[in-house]
Amino acid sequence: MLELMKLGALFAITALAEIAGCYLPWLVLKQGKPVWLLLPAIASLALFAWLLTLHPTAAGRTYAAYGGMYIVVALLWLRFVDGIALSRWDIAGAGMALAGMAVIALQPQTQ
């Protein structure tokens, strides 16, 4: 259980870096915010890429498991940054995504 919590925390930080790195250019392009916001966006996406390298398993498996946490963090962003209430469907989908992440991430290791 501790392993899943550590993995989940690393995935959550990774997702925040990715979402922030994509959200800032969105603000520049869609809402006319200052262009200098692209600089922290670049740094955030570089952090995102580096964080993905910290996972001990194969890249494809890491990306697959990461997708579950990304969904959860994106929905939390929707709620707390965009201010949009989550539906029961959002919550159910997030739960299924986390379950999928756990299945992929915690599978028995084979030699």
Side-chain angles (χ1 to χ4, degrees):
M1 185 54 119
L2 182 60
E3 183 65 27
L4 182 59
M5 290 175 62
K6 287 180 3 186
L7 182 65
L10 181 55
F11 277 148
I13 294 166
T14 304
L16 279 173
E18 182 181 12
I19 291 170
C22 294
Y23 184 71
L24 294 172
W26 183 87
L27 288 175
V28 171
L29 296 171
K30 296 294 254 177
Q31 294 189 356
K33 300 296 182 187
V35 174
W36 66 262
L37 287 174
L38 296 176
L39 294 175
I42 291 167
S44 187
L45 289 173
L47 175 64
F48 157 70
W50 176 74
L51 287 167
L52 282 176
T53 69
L54 299 181
H55 297 276
T57 189
R61 187 168 290 132
T62 295
Y63 302 152
Y66 164 72
M69 182 58 75
Y70 180 88
I71 291 167
V72 171
V73 173
L75 288 171
L76 290 172
W77 188 280
L78 176 70
R79 174 66 188 104
F80 294 108
V81 175
D82 293 332
I84 297 172
L86 300 180
S87 71
R88 65 179 182 219
W89 300 100
D90 293 327
I91 295 166
M96 287 187 272
L98 283 179
M101 180 197 84
V103 168
I104 293 168
L106 299 177
Q107 64 183 281
Q109 299 298 315
T110 58
Q111 298 298 337

